[in-house]
Every structure is written in structure tokens, then in C-alpha cells.
Amino acid sequence: MRGMLDGLYRVCGGIGALLIVAICLVVLIQVAFNLFDKISDVLFGKAVGLVLPSYAELAGYFLVAATFFALTNTLQHGVHIRVTMITQRLKPAWARVAEGWACLVGALMSGYFAVWSYVLVYESWIYNDLSPGMLPIPIWLPQLPMAIGLTSLTICFADLFFQVIRGTWQPPVTAPLSQEQEEH
């Protein structure tokens, strides 16, 4: 089971990384089109008018998908923004309780949002909602990665919760507070 969960987290992180590359490619293609138009305008007095239809919209959809897919991988590796100011001051047993509570609340909240995200995807599919840009993209397509990402985040929170319960959870490594930080 551990290998399957770790594989899920790696796949989600990989998809998130590929989507960031896709954003870069979309923007670079549009920049190249703009450059070609400027050169054409200077050389021939007329721009060709090249444009990647809905490139900003596509980049936005890729960004949302990348964000939600990357949540799982970052949580599993302990690189989410964590408030350790309190937990690093607690005794290990109390730190485990705090971490377990945070993972349980995180699992419940992300599960709630995942369920309603699937409802949103379903409604967009039923009503055939389309994006308002030059390309009429069915809106459920960019919504689906959000729902999948939230589902994998819920699984990861639940996984971490059970690791805390079993006693196999290891707190993320943080630098100890300096004397100056302690005083503030």
C-alpha cells in the first residue's frame, strides 16, 4: 500500500511539473508569435496577426491544474507552508497530537471541497458550460484536475493522519530557533 500511495504522490507531482512546462510553452509560443508580428511589421509594414487562441486562458487553466496536482506531493514531502512556531516548542507527544489534529482537519476539509468540486464538474458537464474565450473549451475539462488534485490531497492527509496514529510519522525537519528568534 505504501508503494501505491507514494506512486500516486509522485505521479501527481510529475503532472504538476509537466503542466508548469506547458504554461511556459504556451507563453513562449505567444511571445514568438508577437515577435514574428513585430518583425513582419518592421520589414513589410504589416503584421501577420499570429495569435495562439485563448493562450492566457489556457495558461490559467494549466496553472490551476498544476497547483492542485502539486499539493499532494508537497504535503507528502513536508514542503507545504507549515506553521511550526507552535509545534517545534511542544514536547514530541503533544507535537504528534497537534499534527494528527491538523491532518484530520485537513483531510475533512479537502474531502469536502473534493466532493463539491466533482459536483461542479458534473453540473458543468450536464449544462455544457463553455469557456468565454476564442476557443470554446468545455469548462468541466479545467475543473476536473482541481477535483482530482483535491481527492489526492485528501488521501495524502488521511495517510499522514494514520502515520501519526501508528507512530510512524516523522515531523518535518526545521532549523532550530536562534536566540534572536526566540526573543521575538
Side-chain angles (χ1 to χ4, degrees), residues 82 87 94-104 160-161 164 169 171-172:
R82 300 175 83 91
T87 57
W94 284 106
R96 273 188 54 203
V97 169
E99 188 70 24
W101 179 81
C103 288
L104 180 61
L160 288 175
F161 174 74
V164 171
W169 170 77

Side-chain angles (χ1 to χ4, degrees), residues 151-172:
T151 301
S152 65
L153 182 64
T154 303
I155 292 167
C156 189
F157 268 126
D159 178 24
L160 288 175
F161 174 74
F162 287 115
Q163 286 180 40
V164 171
I165 296 298
R166 285 192 312 264
T168 59
W169 170 77
Q170 294 296 318

Side-chain angles (χ1 to χ4, degrees), residues 72-144:
T72 301
N73 194 276
T74 56
L75 177 63
Q76 193 243 358
H77 285 96
V79 292
H80 259 260
I81 296 173
R82 300 175 83 91
V83 181
T84 57
M85 289 172 46
I86 296 171
T87 57
Q88 70 185 6
R89 295 174 189 266
L90 296 174
K91 293 181 180 181
W94 284 106
R96 273 188 54 203
V97 169
E99 188 70 24
W101 179 81
C103 288
L104 180 61
V105 170
L108 292 172
M109 289 178 66
S110 59
Y112 175 82
F113 289 123
V115 167
W116 285 104
S117 293
Y118 283 110
V119 169
L120 182 65
V121 168
Y122 178 71
E123 287 177 350
S124 295
W125 181 67
I126 290 294
Y127 295 120
N128 197 28
D129 288 340
L130 299 174
S131 65
M134 291 173 69
L135 290 177
I137 299 168
I139 209 70
W140 66 268
L141 287 173
Q143 290 171 342
L144 187 59

